[in-house]
Amino acid sequence: IDRGLRFLAACYDEKGKSILFSGQKILRKRRKYKKLRAELQAKGTKSAKRRLKKIGQRENRWMSDVNHRLTKTLIDHYGSNTIYALEDLTDVRFATEKSPKDQSYEIVSWAFYQFEQFLTYKANLNSSAVVKVPAKYTSQRCPKCGRIHKDNRDHELHLYTCDKCGYKSNDDRLAAMNIQFLGTLYRSGKEAPQFNKQASVE
């Protein structure tokens, strides 16, 4: 499962099937919250500050509900005895410098860790498990030939085109394919599988 904002979750399984959960409605709503907060902060009155606090609490409850419903959908869809592979986002910062300024807040503040917590808890109740794999190169590697080249990814078109074998895919789906591959290696007993530029997998 690749987590993001354009798609809250891009999933790819061992049968080669993909599921993408759009995040566009979520992004629009967060921008409304952001605009409202800016207007209240500009007022600076006591009543405005009280409203700011309530809005923050409301937004947090809403984000929790989104993550709850999404993780429940994933658990229900894939069933029991499933291994969910996620990127380990510890100490990973999203490349906000490459994103429009009006999106930087949304990128760094979405509750990705909460999604992981909810999925882990529900997976454990369903005889399933969540494993974390290194995030490095998952969006830069061709899943067909193993070529790693960051310029193969077009951020504006959200398209990955391999300059070696010609393989093309949506970049979110491609990341999910690579994460799934690492998860499969982990399940097979390979200790700490990861991608590097010298070889397809170390």
Side-chain angles (χ1 to χ4, degrees), residues 102-187:
D102 65 341
Q103 292 184 22
S104 60
Y105 168 78
E106 290 87 345
I107 289 174
V108 299
S109 63
W110 181 253
F112 293 113
Y113 179 63
Q114 185 190 67
F115 172 93
E116 178 183 316
Q117 289 180 306
F118 284 3
L119 185 64
T120 300
Y121 171 74
K122 292 170 186 175
N124 289 337
L125 293 177
N126 198 39
S127 301
S128 298
V130 171
V131 300
K132 294 195 288 186
V133 298
K136 196 170 186 179
Y137 300 129
T138 54
S139 296
Q140 300 178 20
R141 176 186 178 273
C142 175
K144 297 300 180 183
C145 72
R147 162 78 161 159
I148 294 176
H149 188 50
K150 66 179 182 178
D151 291 338
N152 285 343
R153 183 185 183 190
D154 188 321
H155 289 268
E156 292 186 4
L157 296 177
H158 299 287
L159 178 68
Y160 181 96
T161 305
C162 182
D163 64 334
K164 183 179 180 181
C165 72
Y167 178 75
K168 292 184 179 182
S169 178
N170 167 277
D171 58 359
D172 296 289
R173 176 178 178 271
L174 175 125
M177 293 174 74
N178 283 319
I179 294 167
Q180 188 271 339
F181 180 63
L182 289 176
T184 299
L185 290 175
Y186 182 93
R187 183 183 62 182

Side-chain angles (χ1 to χ4, degrees), residues 134 136-137 141 148 181-182 185-186 190-202:
K136 196 170 186 179
Y137 300 129
R141 176 186 178 273
I148 294 176
F181 180 63
L182 289 176
L185 290 175
Y186 182 93
K190 189 172 184 64
E191 187 176 345
Q194 61 181 315
F195 297 124
N196 62 58
K197 288 190 175 182
Q198 283 69 44
S200 59
V201 177
E202 184 178 62

